Amino acid sequence: AKEHLLKADTEDKEVSFEEILSTLDSMIGMNNIKTEIRELITFINIQKEREKISGKKTALVPHIILTGNPGTGKTTIARILGKLFKTIGALPSDNFVEVDKSGLVAQYVGATGPKVKAVVDRAYGGVLFIDEAYTLTPEGQTDSFSQEAIDTLMKRMEDDKGKFIVIAAGYKKDMERFIKSNAGLQSRFTRYFHFEDYTPDELSQIFMILAKKDN
């Protein structure tokens, strides 16, 4: 398929909006995701027109939650979203930085805040993708380092609204708990996409594509 166009973080080739949508459409399954992405792009384009009329800048792209089981395509779709937002002018770059809890939380006092800020700086202009984000709010008492990471991240999401976006992903139930754990998180993440498991027929199609690719 055309997925390889979107896998590198630093790509010399500029991919067009139509090529990215073609890549999206070529993916097996995900019919609800494909529809919801188009609806989001339409919404962003309407917001851009409102900006022109009012003369007031707004944060065009919302922070996003992706839920679903491993292997359902969440990371690939996050990359596609970043590329789409860049091509329609909703984000200034297609930077894509992927981290998990270990990439945000330091092991000693005073180091987590700077670590989060450095990660956001790397993603600035584009997408910060946090995989298994729910591990920052484990069931029971959140540890102080994880809480510092969340607080620092939320501050940057507010201070630099519209200058980068966070896409957080994980299991559905765990991500629901993650969002409900903090009112600030609930107010910042306003778009949700849920990835269904592949059907047996879809898995067969994916297998045949992989088999053909590897001769």
Side-chain angles (χ1 to χ4, degrees):
K2 303 168 187 172
E3 248 178 87
H4 66 282
L5 290 174
L6 299 151
K7 286 188 176 176
D9 284 351
T10 53
E11 236 174 22
D12 293 331
K13 185 180 182 297
E14 184 73 21
V15 185
S16 71
F17 179 76
E18 289 74 21
E19 286 176 305
I20 299 168
L21 280 185
S22 178
T23 297
L24 177 66
D25 289 337
S26 74
M27 297 175 71
I28 303 299
M30 298 189 190
N31 291 330
N32 67 309
I33 301 297
K34 294 170 184 176
T35 298
E36 288 167 16
I37 287 175
R38 281 178 162 81
E39 289 173 353
L40 176 56
I41 296 301
T42 299
F43 170 78
I44 290 170
N45 284 330
I46 290 171
Q47 293 297 96
K48 286 171 66 180
E49 290 303 312
R50 286 176 173 165
E51 272 193 355
K52 290 178 185 176
I53 294 167
S54 68
K56 295 178 182 179
K57 285 284 184 182
T58 59
L60 293 172
V61 185
H63 300 293
I64 298 168
I65 294 287
L66 307 181
T67 62
N69 288 325
T72 49
K74 297 187 297 296
T75 303
T76 300
I77 291 298
R79 289 180 181 275
I80 287 175
L81 286 169
K83 295 281 186 182
L84 283 171
F85 297 152
K86 164 63 167 57
T87 58
I88 65 173
L91 285 177
S93 85
D94 57 4
N95 284 348
F96 187 93
V97 175
E98 180 179 353
V99 295
D100 56 16
K101 179 178 178 177
S102 66
L104 297 171
V105 177
Q107 299 303 310
Y108 55 92
V109 175
T112 293
K115 190 171 185 177
V116 173
K117 289 175 183 176
V119 168
V120 171
D121 287 344
R122 282 169 49 212
Y124 202 74
V127 173
L128 174 60
F129 178 70
I130 306 175
D131 198 16
E132 298 182 335
Y134 57 86
T135 57
L136 290 166
T137 57
E139 289 193 69
Q141 185 65 39
T142 303
D143 65 89
S144 59
F145 291 165
S146 293
Q147 188 59 54
E148 183 183 0
I150 291 171
D151 292 343
T152 306
L153 180 63
M154 287 196 300
K155 187 173 189 309
R156 287 297 298 268
M157 290 166 76
E158 185 62 31
D159 292 348
D160 296 313
K161 190 182 295 183
K163 297 175 183 175
F164 81 107
I165 68 161
V166 178
I167 301 179
Y171 293 104
K172 190 172 191 294
K173 287 185 178 179
D174 290 315
M175 290 304 289
E176 287 172 353
R177 175 179 52 75
F178 169 72
I179 288 298
K180 290 176 182 176
S181 71
N182 187 301
L185 291 173
Q186 291 184 56
S187 68
R188 285 166 177 77
F189 288 100
T190 56
R191 280 276 177 163
Y192 296 77
F193 296 106
H194 179 66
F195 292 68
E196 300 290 347
D197 291 344
Y198 289 112
T199 66
D201 181 59
E202 289 167 349
L203 288 171
S204 297
Q205 292 178 59
I206 291 169
F207 173 78
M208 293 306 293
I209 289 170
L210 293 173
K212 184 176 182 181
K213 181 181 175 184
D214 291 336
N215 297 313

